[in-house]
Amino acid sequence: MADFDVYREDMVSYYDQASHLAYWFDPVELARQYDGAYACEGSWLRDLALAMQYLVRGRRVLEIAAGHGRWTRFLAESARLVVATDSSDRMLAQARQVVSEGRILPAWRCRFLRVDAFEIDRVPGEFDYAVSVNFFQHVPIARVGLFLDALHRKLGTGREVLIAVNRLKRSTRARFYQKPGEPDWFDLRQLSDGSVYEIVDNPFHESQVRAALHGCAENVRIQRGAKFDWVTYRIL
């Protein structure tokens, strides 16, 4: 990628703008939808949410690129502590609403922090587990090693990680494209104000994931859910 800093700024801008231009947002209705899917056997959300809750139970969790808090809502039910990070203040404000809707959580249970996912080692505190859902596919292939290095440096040896990516339909992936000489796949996304953003959206191939984790992780397990694929591992 020619200019990573420009891409990073564009991606933050896209999701910050998308949070109020592209997506309908009602924290009450969204919380109800997510809770309904969680309660429904075989739903698009249930298997990953249950897996996360089991893995993080009683742990101090660092969530990367939390967005509007869809997964934070379920992590906060099970974890000892969740620090949900995102680059967008608007997304974090929405996450606070989604997580708290209809629930009374101790004030210390879930914190929200504006931190860029590519600088995750700046987050203060110690954590036992890290969770990232629907961010890894947006990391340029040339930057995957740097992203993982920062994450592993933050957590430390023996800590564990879950990285999940939604499995897109063939019709959706059909619109993605590559550029000459570049390994990444791209998607053009247009918002209602007419602005267009080029976002990296790489497929989640098991062989590539294992190659990226080679030498820095053990107990690598890749699972396929109803809508998401995810990898769990322990940092060496």
Side-chain angles (χ1 to χ4, degrees):
M1 175 168 288
D3 196 328
F4 172 70
D5 289 333
V6 170
Y7 167 68
R8 181 167 63 173
E9 291 176 5
D10 281 351
M11 185 166 62
V12 172
S13 177
Y14 167 75
Y15 279 103
D16 187 69
Q17 295 299 313
S19 66
H20 78 289
L21 287 175
Y23 303 125
W24 162 82
F25 180 79
D26 179 332
V28 176
E29 183 59 29
L30 284 176
R32 288 175 180 171
Q33 287 184 12
Y34 298 153
D35 290 352
Y38 178 84
C40 182
E41 193 73 34
S43 76
W44 63 273
L45 176 148
R46 179 178 170 84
D47 52 4
L48 177 55
L50 285 173
M52 289 194 303
Q53 288 184 318
Y54 172 77
L55 291 166
V56 307
R57 188 169 302 281
R59 298 191 179 194
R60 299 163 297 177
V61 178
L62 174 60
E63 186 182 9
I64 303 162
H68 67 244
R70 174 191 295 163
W71 303 102
T72 320
R73 181 171 176 85
F74 300 106
L75 291 170
E77 279 194 324
S78 179
R80 172 184 168 189
L81 165 72
V82 178
V83 174
T85 67
D86 201 276
S87 294
S88 166
D89 285 327
R90 186 179 286 115
M91 282 286 199
L92 290 171
Q94 292 180 350
R96 288 186 181 93
Q97 296 178 70
V98 170
V99 171
S100 63
E101 174 56 38
R103 295 178 178 172
I104 300 176
L105 295 172
W108 47 263
R109 176 72 62 79
C110 190
R111 295 166 45 207
F112 300 88
L113 193 62
R114 185 176 183 269
V115 176
D116 191 297
F118 292 103
E119 299 176 346
I120 203 65
D121 52 342
R122 291 177 42 226
V123 178
E126 295 186 1
F127 301 91
D128 309 305
Y129 213 101
V131 171
S132 171
V133 182
N134 275 351
F135 175 75
F136 191 72
Q137 69 269 42
H138 301 315
V139 180
I141 290 173
R143 291 276 170 167
V144 167
L146 294 174
F147 168 71
L148 292 175
D149 284 347
L151 175 61
H152 296 172
R153 185 165 57 248
K154 175 60 207 173
L155 266 67
T157 301
R159 306 306 191 188
E160 296 178 272
V161 179
L162 180 150
I163 295 174
V165 173
N166 65 315
R167 195 166 55 253
L168 299 176
K169 297 178 181 178
R170 289 185 179 179
S171 58
T172 300
R173 293 219 66 89
R175 72 169 187 252
F176 294 1
Y177 58 93
Q178 287 183 293
K179 300 177 183 180
E182 294 197 26
D184 296 305
W185 286 85
F186 296 87
D187 181 27
L188 278 183
R189 303 187 185 185
Q190 183 171 359
L191 299 178
S192 59
D193 66 352
S195 57
V196 177
Y197 295 85
E198 187 176 61
I199 304 296
V200 170
D201 208 318
N202 289 316
F204 191 81
H205 291 314
E206 179 173 348
S207 59
Q208 293 175 342
V209 173
R210 290 189 180 278
L213 294 173
H214 180 71
C216 64
E218 61 182 0
N219 293 354
V220 178
R221 298 178 182 177
I222 296 179
Q223 300 187 56
R224 185 179 178 89
K227 178 69 174 177
F228 290 83
D229 298 326
W230 66 88
V231 59
T232 58
Y233 63 91
R234 181 181 296 117
I235 301 169
L236 286 173

